[in-house]
Amino acid sequence: MQPIAWQISLVLMTLVAFGFAFVAINSGRRQEDYAPLQKSAYRLRTRLFWGLVLVFGPAMIYTLLDLPYDAARARTGSGAVQVVDATGYQWRWELSRDHVAAGQPVEFRVTSADVNHGFGIYDANLHLVAQTQAMPGYTNTLRHTFTEAGTYKVLCMEYCGVAHHNMMTEIRVVAQ
Ligand code: CUA
């Protein structure tokens, strides 16, 4: 242990010992002496409770108004939806098309042929732009509108076996 660490713990233990001593010395006092204190503590607690309800109640309702599902759709922009079927295999991705148009919503329909994979789309700087899970027997819908043209990478985001790190493909986003 570092010298400073045991000095601090010695101070803390001393404080705790004083605390015990204080309680032991004052334990003789009668119950009634605490009644006013208890009463004001309960009053404070009630106020605190209603204060929290008043602050967090409206905050909760407000945040629920902005449910992510519709917001995600609203962000996807206008124009015909470009559908891309994406299937994960150990250890590759299969996309129904290799390019999409920028500024027009894309709907990825993501599934897996074997185990769970993570479908993650990254831009040229390897920043994640959108992701969903690729699950066997289920199709997840991921909507995204690419605002910038370029070559994007699709990487697997969930460990799925020995060649997980090799599980990648590309999708080109072309300017209209
Ligand atoms: Cu597929 Cu990791």
Side-chain angles (χ1 to χ4, degrees):
M1 208 192 265
Q2 298 288 316
I4 187 73
W6 81 257
Q7 281 161 1
I8 289 171
S9 68
L10 192 67
V11 170
L12 289 176
M13 281 191 294
T14 310
L15 286 175
V16 170
F18 272 117
F20 274 111
F22 178 81
V23 171
I25 290 162
N26 289 288
S27 61
R29 283 171 73 175
R30 292 182 310 152
Q31 190 85 51
E32 299 88 79
D33 297 345
Y34 289 105
L37 184 67
Q38 194 182 41
K39 212 172 159 185
S40 71
Y42 281 167
R43 207 179 306 128
L44 186 69
R45 192 176 64 177
T46 307
R47 280 188 194 157
L48 189 66
F49 172 76
W50 286 110
L52 289 175
V53 167
L54 277 175
V55 171
F56 287 101
M60 194 177 72
I61 292 165
Y62 176 73
T63 53
L64 282 176
L65 291 177
D66 192 26
L67 275 176
Y69 319 116
D70 282 344
R73 270 165 217 279
R75 269 200 307 273
T76 53
S78 58
V81 175
Q82 314 169 80
V83 174
V84 179
D85 291 305
T87 309
Y89 297 84
Q90 283 170 314
W91 291 276
R92 65 195 164 87
W93 290 107
E94 223 174 70
L95 304 182
S96 62
R97 49 195 287 183
D98 63 357
H99 68 278
V100 293
Q104 200 181 319
V106 182
E107 184 172 298
F108 292 96
R109 294 180 184 162
V110 183
T111 188
S112 167
D114 37 50
V115 300
N116 269 4
H117 301 278
F119 182 82
I121 305 169
Y122 293 80
D123 67 13
N125 298 318
L126 285 182
H127 289 152
L128 184 66
V129 296
Q131 63 103 12
T132 189
Q133 209 176 20
M135 301 151 70
Y138 189 83
T139 301
N140 276 314
T141 301
L142 173 67
R143 283 191 171 213
H144 184 72
T145 299
F146 294 92
T147 49
E148 286 181 35
T151 302
Y152 290 71
K153 278 192 163 61
V154 174
L155 304 181
C156 184
M157 301 178 70
E158 188 169 332
Y159 184 73
C160 55
V162 288
H164 154 75
H165 59 282
N166 275 339
M167 195 168 162
M168 61 180 90
T169 190
E170 287 180 348
I171 187 159
R172 275 184 306 115
V173 175
V174 292
Q176 275 177 320

